Each structure stands twice: as structure tokens, then as C-alpha cells.
Amino acid sequence: MMLSRGHTPHTSTPITPTRAPTAMSRIPDADDVTPKVAGVPVDDPDVSSVLYDANMIEGALEQLAALVVSHLGDFEVFVPVTTGAMMFASDLVRSVYTVERMLREELQRGYKRMVISCATCASYGAGTSSDANVEVEVRLPSCDLKGKRVCILEDIIDTGRTVMALTKALYEAGAEEVALIALMDKSARRDAEATKYFEEKNMKIACAFMCPDEFVVGYGLDYGGRYRELPFIGVLKPELIAASA
Ligand code: IMP
Ligand code: MG
């Protein structure tokens, strides 16, 4: 089945510039120096290797959107975990809507409109995120959660402690069921307590990409607030992490 992009802008009226660009205002074309996939740059001087380019991300989003429509049709509240999941979530929810509209004849159910409301999670404690004593502070979405089926949208599952803390908080706030859609899974670093918790809750989980045990940036993922704007996901050069650690 071919699914169309969820985020291709359509306009019936061509947009014409109010002023023709002059030779002076033209931006030099960098086509000949920047590697590109379908017009999107696929490298950056601070990235040692690109793991997932824009085409791969787009393909993964289509699959995840189809999965949400087929398996989570009765989930109403979608909770992006900011800031990292903002790009993933904004592309995915539009893909879900597009798939729903495309399949509306075939689906034997009505469309449940999404409630989208963000959560914020911050880790505190001595040491890195792999420190078992780290505390995760959760700020819940502002929408009504009582009796709702809630789907967390996360950029990457690392130890799993962030998602575990958020899931617990959502259940405490009255959610009926909590599922998880993540773009990446760094499963090598998963915390045993988190794995046990997800199993006990019989949690529906889907991840698009298995991520190697390396620090990745781009498509929303950051290092010190930077690199989120990269249109691909790549491994940050280790010397850049060491230099500012
Ligand atoms: P966890 O609690 O260990 O699962 O950590 C998950 C959070 O850590 C994610 O929401 C990300 O914000 C962040 N994170 C984990 N690995 C990476 C990475 O490789 N790059 C950027 N952020 C990461
Ligand atoms: Mg995060």
C-alpha cells in the first residue's frame, strides 16, 4: 500500500514573489558542495555518520502512522514529550490524519479526533542519564486524562526511565491505558526496572528504528539545545561531547 506524505504542502494558487529576486539578493546555490537526498542535505561537519536520512524518516513515519490507525484507533490523547519529540510528533500526527482520511471508506469505525497536549520530562541527579538514581520530573499535559487512552510520542527510548516516569504519572492522573510510539530505541541501555514495568502494564509499544549505543542528534534530538534542526539523524562526533563535558 502506498501512503502519501503527511506533510506535503498543497496550494491551488501558485505563490508568486512580490518582488523578483535581483542578482544581489540571490542566495548562492550550494548544490555542488552539499550531498543531498531528494533535495535535503545529508551531512554536517559536527556529525561523524548519518544513521537515518530524511527519506528513511519519512518512510518510517508512514509505517508508524499506518500502525497507529490500525492498532490505536481508540486512542484519543497524544502526548509529545518536548522538546525532543516535537518534529517527530508534528510529522506523525499529520501522517496519521492523512492515513485516516485515505482509509475512511475501509475503516469500520468513525474517526476519533485527536487531543494533542505536550508533556515535559527533565532528569535530575548526580551523574548521567544512565545513573540509576536519577530523578525524572514530569510535567503532565494540561488536557483531561481521566478515563482516556493516551499515546506517548517520544523521540528516543534510552534507559526507559523517562517514559516509565511519564507513564506512571499518566496512570496516576486517571488514564485508562497508556501506549508508546517512539522514533528510536536504544535498547542496549534499557533499565531492567523499566522493562519489567512495561511488561507488567502490558504496554503497547512501537519503535521505528533500533539505535546503536551512541549519542545521536538531529530531527529534534539535541546536544545542549543544539542540532535539533538537522533534517536527518546522525552520530555526534565524540570529541565535541568530550570537549564541552
Ligand atoms: P531515558 O530516560 O534514558 O530513556 O532517556 C530518554 C531521553 O534522553 C530522551 O527523551 C532524550 O531526550 C534523551 N536522549 C537519550 N539518548 C539520546 C541521544 O542519543 N541523543 C539525544 N538525546 C538523547
Ligand atoms: Mg526527550
Side-chain angles (χ1 to χ4, degrees):
M1 176 174 55
M2 280 293 292
L3 302 174
S4 68
R5 293 174 64 129
H7 52 279
T8 309
H10 292 290
T11 171
S12 49
T13 321
I15 298 166
T16 46
T18 49
R19 195 166 59 90
T22 65
M24 284 287 286
S25 65
R26 278 196 58 207
I27 298 168
D29 191 347
D31 273 354
D32 49 343
V33 290
T34 310
K36 290 184 179 183
V37 172
V40 180
V42 284
D43 78 343
D44 184 278
D46 290 358
V47 163
S48 59
S49 65
V50 172
L51 291 175
Y52 310 113
D53 65 33
N55 282 347
M56 294 164 83
I57 294 171
E58 187 185 329
L61 283 167
E62 287 175 351
Q63 290 186 10
L64 284 180
L67 196 138
V68 169
V69 170
S70 59
H71 287 78
L72 303 181
D74 52 352
F75 278 65
E76 183 179 0
V77 179
F78 288 77
V79 178
V81 183
T82 56
T83 304
M86 72 176 183
M87 295 194 193
F88 168 57
S90 66
D91 284 343
L92 182 67
V93 293
R94 283 177 289 174
S95 280
V96 169
Y97 179 78
T98 304
V99 174
E100 280 276 353
R101 294 297 299 268
M102 282 170 60
L103 299 183
R104 65 184 181 277
E105 304 289 306
E106 292 169 42
L107 294 168
Q108 301 288 307
R109 57 167 174 77
Y111 175 50
K112 196 165 216 165
R113 288 214 178 268
M114 288 179 171
V115 172
I116 302 169
S117 190
C118 294
T120 313
C121 300
S123 302
Y124 296 103
T128 67
S129 64
S130 59
D131 186 329
N133 298 315
V134 130
E135 288 281 323
V136 181
E137 190 184 285
V138 173
R139 210 159 71 211
L140 280 172
S142 54
C143 64
D144 180 21
L145 294 162
K146 286 207 176 57
K148 307 288 183 195
R149 293 206 152 84
V150 181
C151 180
I152 297 169
L153 303 178
E154 180 57 306
D155 51 2
I156 188 165
I157 315 302
D158 189 7
T159 63
R161 282 187 212 113
T162 301
V163 167
M164 180 169 65
L166 176 56
T167 305
K168 284 180 181 174
L170 289 165
Y171 275 122
E172 276 162 24
E176 180 171 331
E177 186 178 354
V178 181
L180 166 67
I181 304 281
L183 183 62
M184 282 178 287
D185 182 1
K186 224 189 250 185
S187 60
R189 288 168 42 84
R190 190 77 83 256
D191 183 83
E193 192 192 333
T195 304
K196 190 163 160 268
Y197 178 77
F198 299 147
E199 281 171 8
E200 278 169 9
K201 286 289 174 192
N202 203 13
M203 197 162 168
K204 291 173 184 149
I205 299 178
C207 299
F209 299 123
M210 295 309 288
C211 183
D213 187 6
E214 307 208 60
F215 197 83
V216 297
V217 292
Y219 195 63
L221 288 107
D222 74 309
Y223 178 62
R226 298 189 195 281
Y227 304 105
R228 294 192 199 277
E229 73 275 29
L230 304 188
F232 52 81
I233 294 164
V235 178
L236 189 64
K237 286 183 177 168
E239 62 266 32
L240 291 169
I241 298 174
S244 53

